[in-house]
Amino acid sequence: GAGVSQTPSNKVTEKGKYVELRCDPISGHTALYWYRQSLGQGPEFLIYFQGTGAADDSGLPNDRFFAVRPEGSVSTLKIQRTERGDSAVYLCASSPTAVTGGRGNEQFFGPGTRLTVL
Amino acid sequence: RKEVEQDPGPFNVPEGATVAFNCTYSNSASQSFFWYRQDCRKEPKLLMSVYSSGNEDGRFTAQLNRASQYISLLIRDSKLSDSATYLCVVNGGDKIIFGKGTRLHILP
């Protein structure tokens, strides 16, 4: 499959634990985005990478959240000391180049990781 | 005013009818606009980009009104398969904002 993949598809953890969510973008896409979607809401922007660097991390809710993309391809979203309010579907999207500016580019979304914090 | 605001929905519409969604945005510097479709428990998928001149793709027409800061989506001759949540997306140049979405139910 040539689409965006995310693992795991579901993650159940206990309050206070550490979790890592992985995103494998479409090959060759330089831009990668993380979103969080709660029930009945639209996706909420978290962070965006252009290549290896985080071009905009203004959507990260607090310092418990961190994301990396060390080789400009796969990205990992890391959540420390999870809280029940972190429960949501975490979506990753990639696009050939940055969506910001101009007419933008289509974002291709992965199926998401459903995180449940008990 | 919310950054991106959509009709609250849900819309329950008989098959074959025409349905229109509206979306307003607060950042006048926003540069690009999109409609995404999201099926239940699935990821969002691009339906259409929205251009200043308006654009049409089959039964779907998208329009942008920069002066009033709103975009619209019109679906003609609606099909059962059009049932989904429609998300308005605004790219403000420095960040991308999704609306809450409007759920559409097409009734047989």
Side-chain angles (χ1 to χ4, degrees):
Chain A
V4 178
S5 62
Q6 291 187 246
T7 54
S9 55
N10 281 282
K11 176 71 178 177
V12 180
T13 190
E14 293 178 343
K15 180 175 178 292
K17 298 290 188 184
Y18 167 82
V19 296
E20 288 189 353
L21 311 180
R22 175 187 167 111
C23 173
D24 211 327
I26 292 172
S27 178
H29 281 194
T30 59
L32 184 147
Y33 306 81
W34 283 100
Y35 295 86
R36 175 168 73 173
Q37 187 172 26
S38 301
L39 194 63
Q41 304 293 317
E44 173 195 1
F45 169 79
L46 296 177
I47 186 170
Y48 139 61
F49 288 88
Q50 182 64 28
T52 60
D56 181 357
D57 64 359
S58 62
L60 295 177
N62 51 59
D63 62 5
R64 296 187 297 106
F65 288 74
F66 189 71
V68 296
R69 194 186 186 198
E71 297 177 358
S73 177
V74 171
S75 176
T76 305
L77 178 66
K78 307 180 181 193
I79 311 174
Q80 298 177 319
R81 304 183 304 281
T82 52
E83 299 177 358
R84 292 195 179 88
D86 298 335
S87 297
V89 175
Y90 288 81
L91 293 164
C92 175
S94 70
S95 66
T97 58
V99 173
T100 54
R103 287 205 157 177
N105 279 286
E106 176 180 358
Q107 294 181 73
F108 296 83
F109 282 83
T113 294
R114 184 173 298 276
L115 175 66
T116 303
V117 182
L118 301 176
Chain B
R1 183 178 182 181
K2 291 182 183 175
E3 291 182 281
V4 176
E5 198 155 5
Q6 294 189 236
D7 293 327
F11 285 20
N12 297 306
V13 174
E15 192 175 8
T18 295
V19 60
F21 300 126
N22 290 314
C23 170
T24 57
Y25 60 94
S26 60
N27 183 357
S28 59
S30 297
Q31 299 177 5
S32 52
F33 310 88
F34 308 88
W35 284 102
Y36 276 71
R37 170 193 169 126
Q38 186 171 26
D39 292 291
C40 189
R41 291 186 166 259
K42 297 288 189 181
E43 70 273 20
K45 293 185 178 178
L46 180 68
L47 179 65
M48 327 181 51
S49 302
V50 188
Y51 302 132
S52 297
S53 53
N55 46 302
E56 187 173 313
D57 183 2
R59 298 181 294 110
F60 299 83
T61 300
Q63 301 227 313
L64 166 64
N65 184 321
R66 284 190 185 274
S68 299
Q69 294 180 208
Y70 81 81
I71 67 174
S72 63
L73 176 68
L74 186 77
I75 306 175
R76 290 181 298 279
D77 187 24
S78 53
K79 311 291 184 192
L80 293 174
S81 58
D82 294 334
S83 297
T85 296
Y86 291 82
L87 297 160
C88 169
V89 183
V90 175
N91 171 6
D94 59 347
K95 58 181 179 178
I96 303 152
I97 303 169
F98 280 73
K100 286 180 64 172
T102 301
R103 184 172 292 183
L104 173 66
H105 296 293
I106 302 299
L107 307 172

